[in-house]
Amino acid sequence: VAATKMNGEGVRAVPLAGHVGFDSMPDQLVNKSVNRGFCFNILCVGETGLGKSTLMDTLFNTKFEGEPTQHNQPGVTLKSNTYELQESNVRLKLTVVNTVGFGDQINKEDSYKSIVEFIDAQFEAYLQEELKIKRTLHSYHDTRIHACLYFIAPTGHSLKSLDLVTMKKLDSKVNIIPIVAKSDAISKSELAKFKIKITSELVSNGVQIYQFPTDDESVAEINSTMNVRPTFPPHFLHFHL
């Protein structure tokens, strides 16, 4: 690239740092995203003792801080922790939101309300940031939930009423990925029947769960299989995400 002065006295050369063209735009976007880092927010919903914290440690190969929750919580509260992770040159700001005391109360009618209010509050906070005259979305910590891992107790029978009601309240607000917790507690044949039973109940109750994308040929086959069998053991979760 060269620029000629108006008086024709000479030519000023402008050196380039690399190739310029439409074909280089994807690489530029990837480099920009990697330099900026990524943000991922996970909501873990499930009864106390189903292994939510253990699964998070396994997924990200990290020992997250936290102590076991007791079963004597008066109500459902949401605990949010943010961590800065890095693998190679990729940085990830991970936020894990845990539902403390979920399912521990005798009266569970309002157990889902705290979760719904929390999700709505994150949407409202982002909207208020967008409505500002001087927005700083490039540096704003987006706390909106990207995925909800819903832990189902391995009863081998049917879904609990609490699970159906909660998932029905959340499916329009967040991507729900149901997980059979501690699936090694039941046999493989019982687990297969349990998965079929869960899928049937979700469909009959109109609960919409996350559908894995199939537009990418490299993952289309395995994601199509996951969409047919939406629930799976936690020790297979890291393999499919």
Side-chain angles (χ1 to χ4, degrees), residues 76 102 105 107-115 162:
V76 180
F102 183 78
Q105 297 74 40
N107 185 358
K108 302 178 177 60
E109 291 182 358
D110 299 333
S111 295
Y112 68 87
K113 289 187 176 180
S114 299
I115 305 174
L162 174 62

Side-chain angles (χ1 to χ4, degrees), residues 53 56-57 62-68 79-83 96 98:
S53 299
M56 290 297 101
D57 292 346
T62 303
K63 182 62 178 178
F64 295 118
E65 58 186 17
E67 297 180 356
K79 183 179 180 182
S80 177
N81 291 306
T82 300
Y83 308 93
V96 179
N98 193 10

Side-chain angles (χ1 to χ4, degrees), residues 47-61:
E47 299 177 14
T48 305
L50 286 182
K52 299 186 293 296
S53 299
T54 303
L55 179 58
M56 290 297 101
D57 292 346
T58 304
L59 275 178
F60 297 96
N61 194 26

Side-chain angles (χ1 to χ4, degrees), residues 21-41:
F22 287 109
D23 59 339
S24 65
M25 290 185 64
D27 295 332
Q28 294 174 4
L29 292 175
V30 169
N31 295 334
K32 183 178 180 181
S33 299
V34 170
N35 292 333
R36 181 183 299 175
F38 299 91
C39 177
F40 190 45
N41 306 322

Side-chain angles (χ1 to χ4, degrees), residues 89-149:
N89 63 330
V90 178
R91 292 180 295 106
L92 173 67
K93 178 178 286 188
L94 173 68
T95 299
V96 179
V97 183
N98 193 10
T99 52
V100 180
F102 183 78
D104 288 339
Q105 297 74 40
I106 297 177
N107 185 358
K108 302 178 177 60
E109 291 182 358
D110 299 333
S111 295
Y112 68 87
K113 289 187 176 180
S114 299
I115 305 174
V116 172
E117 291 173 356
F118 176 85
I119 294 175
D120 289 341
Q122 312 318 307
F123 283 122
E124 181 63 24
Y126 189 84
L127 176 61
Q128 292 303 320
E129 183 65 27
E130 280 190 320
L131 295 177
K132 289 182 179 179
I133 297 177
K134 293 184 178 180
R135 293 175 292 184
T136 56
L137 292 177
H138 64 280
S139 60
Y140 175 74
H141 181 201
D142 187 359
T143 57
R144 294 176 297 176
I145 301 298
H146 297 115
C148 169
L149 303 184

Side-chain angles (χ1 to χ4, degrees), residues 100-211:
V100 180
F102 183 78
D104 288 339
Q105 297 74 40
I106 297 177
N107 185 358
K108 302 178 177 60
E109 291 182 358
D110 299 333
S111 295
Y112 68 87
K113 289 187 176 180
S114 299
I115 305 174
V116 172
E117 291 173 356
F118 176 85
I119 294 175
D120 289 341
Q122 312 318 307
F123 283 122
E124 181 63 24
Y126 189 84
L127 176 61
Q128 292 303 320
E129 183 65 27
E130 280 190 320
L131 295 177
K132 289 182 179 179
I133 297 177
K134 293 184 178 180
R135 293 175 292 184
T136 56
L137 292 177
H138 64 280
S139 60
Y140 175 74
H141 181 201
D142 187 359
T143 57
R144 294 176 297 176
I145 301 298
H146 297 115
C148 169
L149 303 184
Y150 198 99
F151 290 71
I152 301 172
T155 60
H157 301 292
S158 58
L159 285 173
K160 298 180 180 180
S161 299
L162 174 62
D163 296 329
L164 286 174
V165 171
T166 304
M167 281 194 277
K168 187 61 179 177
K169 295 293 183 180
L170 297 180
D171 65 356
S172 61
K173 301 176 181 294
V174 67
N175 297 313
I176 299 178
I177 303 176
I179 299 174
V180 179
K182 297 184 177 180
S183 60
D184 54 352
I186 56 179
S187 65
K188 291 184 178 180
S189 60
E190 290 176 328
L191 179 60
K193 294 178 181 178
F194 190 37
K195 291 180 180 181
I196 296 174
K197 182 67 174 178
I198 291 174
T199 304
S200 176
E201 290 185 341
L202 292 176
V203 173
S204 61
N205 286 275
V207 178
Q208 301 294 325
I209 62 175
Y210 176 70
Q211 295 295 305

